[in-house]
Structure formats: C-alpha cells, structure tokens
Amino acid sequence: EVQLVESGGGLVQPGGSLRLSCAASGFNFRNYWMNWVRQAPGKGLVWVSRINSDGSSTSYADSVKGRFTISRDNAKNTLDLQMNSLRAEDTAVYFCASGYQMDFWGQGTLVTASS
Amino acid sequence: DVVMTQSPLSLPVTLGQPASISCRSSQSLVHSDGNTYLNWLQQRPGQSPRHLIHKVSDRDSGVPDRFSGSGSGTDFTLKISRVEAEDVGVYYCMQGTHWPPTFGQGTKVEIK
C-alpha cells in the first residue's frame, strides 16, 4: 500500500524556520519525482516545489523561491522541505505528492506562521 | 503560468442525478510528446486530495466508472453519471503539461 506521511508542522513566528518531512513507503520512491503542495485555510491547492527522482533538479514557485529548499534521501525514502523566513501568508496545510502528475498525496501537515 | 478556470464553483446535485464540471486552460495542454496532461482530483471534506483521472480520461485504479473525463486542447469536462453521497467534496482540475503545474479554483459538489 502506498503511503506518504508528512510531519514537522507547527506554530512558528513570522521570520522563523520549520522543516517538514514526508516518509514514503509502498512504492519505489527513488524512481519518482516528488512535490510539495499547500492549501491555505479554506482555499485551493497551490504547487510549491518539485524535485526529480535523484535529487539533481529542483524547482520552486516564485512565492517561495529563495526561502524554501526541497531535498530528498532515497536511502531513507524521505522528502524534506526546509522553510526559512516564514511569512503569515505561508500558513497552510502542506501536502507531499508523488509523481510528476501528483498521483498520490499524503494527509498533510499544518504550518501556522503567526505571532 | 497557465490559468485553469473551473465552472461552476458550486454544484448542488440530487442523489442519483448526473453532474458535470468544466475546466478551461489559458493555453493548449497538448505536450510536445503528444500527451495531454490534464488531471482531476477529488478532495472529500477533511481529507487530502485523491487523484481520480490522468491524461484527460484515464481513471486511476479503484475509481468508480461513474466518473469520466473528456476534452481536448483547452476545454475539459469531468462527469459523474449518478452522484452518490460519497462524491460530496471539492473537485480540482490540474495541468501538468506546462511548468509550473497549476490547479483550477475547485468546484464544490454538494447534495441538494
């Protein structure tokens, strides 16, 4: 069974940092591109970042470029998102999603940037 | 960025009746490889998104056949032949042809 389990969310002050993780199981993780997608409270889905299967290529939405860093460890089947200089507008549930077309999604982890 | 526009944004439906959601893109979604990477996702209340359909009309494993996708170029449609109670939620179209991937605003399906 394919599983993606996000962790690391929480309350952080604006300007602070947080590191999200996504643990993958049930599929050959090293063969898949991976994504982070976020959903602000009551709002729609917004793509945040993507990494290719071996981690050599990454891309970011303009809204997070220079502040967020995506990475992966294929030996541990984990995907990470390092979030720095957080802003109130980064408040959202963050989902990891597998595959270039986002075929499978985790349950999400809530990040709240507020003082 | 490619803008995905869904309509309607709210869709009250009677149980057992059909439902149809439109999705239009600001540019053609035909990829240089010949495929059209238009996906449909379902998000039930309180749940994470679930991928339903890829490449316009291919249902994912386990998706009931009452769900069907159609369209080409810039105009796409998701149809539910007979709405069931478990179909309540928000439906999103998503394009994966052009970078960055973009989503429609979502269509909320509810029971009348």
Side-chain angles (χ1 to χ4, degrees):
Chain A
E1 179 194 4
V2 175
Q3 276 202 322
L4 294 171
V5 180
E6 300 92 337
S7 61
L11 175 63
V12 62
Q13 289 195 340
S17 298
L18 215 51
R19 189 176 185 90
L20 306 183
S21 290
C22 171
S25 60
F27 66 105
N28 201 340
F29 178 76
R30 66 180 63 247
N31 288 346
Y32 284 77
W33 289 62
M34 295 293 296
N35 302 270
W36 286 100
V37 178
R38 68 186 181 185
Q39 185 172 37
K43 301 296 185 181
L45 302 168
V46 178
W47 174 80
V48 171
S49 182
R50 168 180 284 167
I51 188 167
N52 70 344
S53 56
D54 67 6
S56 62
S57 176
T58 60
S59 59
Y60 301 91
D62 287 345
S63 59
V64 306
K65 197 175 299 182
R67 301 187 297 123
F68 290 12
T69 302
I70 191 172
S71 61
R72 66 190 297 160
D73 185 333
N74 284 346
K76 295 181 179 178
N77 287 356
T78 57
L79 172 74
D80 287 343
L81 185 68
Q82 177 67 42
M83 304 187 296
N84 298 331
S85 304
L86 281 161
R87 306 167 180 167
E89 56 265 34
D90 295 319
T91 294
V93 174
Y94 284 73
F95 300 98
C96 62
S98 61
Y100 202 84
Q101 301 299 328
M102 302 184 218
D103 305 297
F104 194 82
W105 296 59
Q107 88 289 347
T109 187
L110 175 62
V111 172
T112 304
S114 173
S115 53
Chain B
D1 297 1
V2 176
V3 177
M4 305 296 288
T5 303
Q6 290 182 228
S7 63
L9 299 184
S10 178
L11 184 55
V13 187
T14 301
L15 285 173
Q17 293 301 302
S20 181
I21 301 170
S22 171
C23 175
R24 291 184 173 174
S25 56
S26 59
Q27 56 185 280
S28 173
L29 299 186
V30 180
H31 193 275
S32 56
D33 67 7
N35 290 309
T36 299
Y37 295 104
L38 186 283
N39 305 270
W40 288 97
L41 299 97
Q42 174 197 59
Q43 188 173 30
R44 291 170 171 154
Q47 295 188 13
S48 59
R50 171 196 182 195
H51 200 275
L52 292 180
I53 288 174
H54 60 276
K55 287 193 286 186
V56 181
S57 59
D58 293 341
R59 275 190 307 275
D60 284 35
S61 175
V63 174
D65 60 7
R66 64 179 181 274
F67 289 93
S68 64
S70 63
S72 63
T74 61
D75 286 350
F76 305 93
T77 302
L78 175 70
K79 291 183 179 176
I80 310 173
S81 59
R82 293 173 304 280
V83 172
E84 298 188 6
E86 65 178 18
D87 299 335
V88 165
V90 180
Y91 292 78
Y92 296 92
C93 59
M94 185 212 92
Q95 69 83 19
T97 295
H98 304 284
W99 185 91
T102 48
F103 297 86
Q105 319 96 300
T107 294
K108 185 174 184 178
V109 172
E110 57 187 8
I111 305 301
K112 278 183 185 174

